[in-house]
Amino acid sequence: MSSLWWSGFERLGQAHSLHAQRRAMTALILLPQLYLDSVPVTTRRREQWRAELNVSTVRATNRVLSAMPPHPLVVTRDYALAYHVAVHGAGYARDAAMVGAVLPGVETTSLQHFGSAYGLLMGLAADRASSLPPLLLLAHAFAGTGADRDKLARLRRESTTSPAARVALNELAHSRFAVRTYNEDVESLRCRVLGMLADVMKPGVFRAVLQEEVQAAAQAASCKDGQTVLSNAG
């Protein structure tokens, strides 16, 4: 169910037309539900999981569609964090809640909170793989006292169609101030997620695996001083 949901979500994020958005929404909403109908579980468990799917779908799709052009050109830290919490946080919180529902002795709400924070970190890591600057890094660039806000906003608007603007936006967004404060956010989130994991899961092989995943996500999310993603910008 999770794989089907994430596949539909990825298609939605890549949709550039109303027709493509509708097709992605159909896959995102219907396929996990159809699969859920075939799973041999109790009616109560099925409806519980169906509710989790519906909540995560509404939260994620509303945020993704609101971020599509025309979107706010000037990005704030609150906006960037809220975007990833609503999108990636919703998906991972749902997955954690669905897993917690079948594990004995697990406090589902705490596991769900961990999933949301872990999803935020995974969202930052996924954002780093894009040819555009990460949303949170852009927010720190806009907040920097030396940042040219008007130029950043103009380049962000032009970057959707111009490779040259994309390269220039990456270079301007990766200021020393933006990179430093962005990495501080990533490190703070890494520590918080590891602390939450220790609270919800006893020591053992499963926690060790998740700890490695958190460390890898934080490494992928962080960026070096002056680093750009020019290899992907073309």
Side-chain angles (χ1 to χ4, degrees), residues 150-171:
D150 291 338
K151 185 176 181 180
L152 273 172
R154 175 177 58 80
L155 288 172
R156 185 164 188 241
R157 181 180 62 249
E158 296 173 355
S159 64
T160 56
T161 56
S162 168
R166 199 171 302 137
V167 172
L169 179 65
N170 268 301
E171 292 176 346

Side-chain angles (χ1 to χ4, degrees), residues 111 114 191-202 206-212 214:
L111 192 62
F114 161 75
C191 293
R192 181 159 67 92
V193 174
L194 287 175
M196 296 174 75
L197 176 60
D199 289 338
V200 300
M201 188 172 292
K202 296 179 180 179
F206 297 114
R207 194 171 93 177
V209 169
L210 280 174
Q211 285 174 334
E212 292 181 3
V214 171

Side-chain angles (χ1 to χ4, degrees), residues 104-187:
V106 174
E107 207 283 297
T108 305
T109 301
S110 296
L111 192 62
Q112 196 170 21
H113 289 161
F114 161 75
S116 180
Y118 176 69
L120 170 56
L121 185 59
M122 293 294 286
L124 296 181
D127 223 6
R128 282 291 298 158
S130 170
S131 62
L132 295 171
L135 201 59
L136 183 58
L137 180 65
L138 265 179
H140 284 290
F142 276 112
T145 54
D148 188 333
R149 293 169 64 88
D150 291 338
K151 185 176 181 180
L152 273 172
R154 175 177 58 80
L155 288 172
R156 185 164 188 241
R157 181 180 62 249
E158 296 173 355
S159 64
T160 56
T161 56
S162 168
R166 199 171 302 137
V167 172
L169 179 65
N170 268 301
E171 292 176 346
L172 188 58
H174 284 77
S175 67
R176 287 187 179 273
F177 170 83
V179 168
R180 176 176 59 81
T181 53
Y182 167 84
N183 281 339
E184 288 172 355
D185 265 350
V186 173
E187 175 60 16

Side-chain angles (χ1 to χ4, degrees), residues 7 12 32 36 58 61 72 81 84 87 104 114 127 142 144 164 169 174 182 206 231 234:
S7 296
L12 179 62
L36 177 56
V58 170
T61 54
L81 292 174
H84 285 302
V87 176
F114 161 75
D127 223 6
F142 276 112
L169 179 65
H174 284 77
Y182 167 84
F206 297 114
S231 59

Side-chain angles (χ1 to χ4, degrees), residues 9 30 59 82 105 137 192 217:
F9 167 73
L30 292 183
R59 288 185 60 193
L137 180 65
R192 181 159 67 92

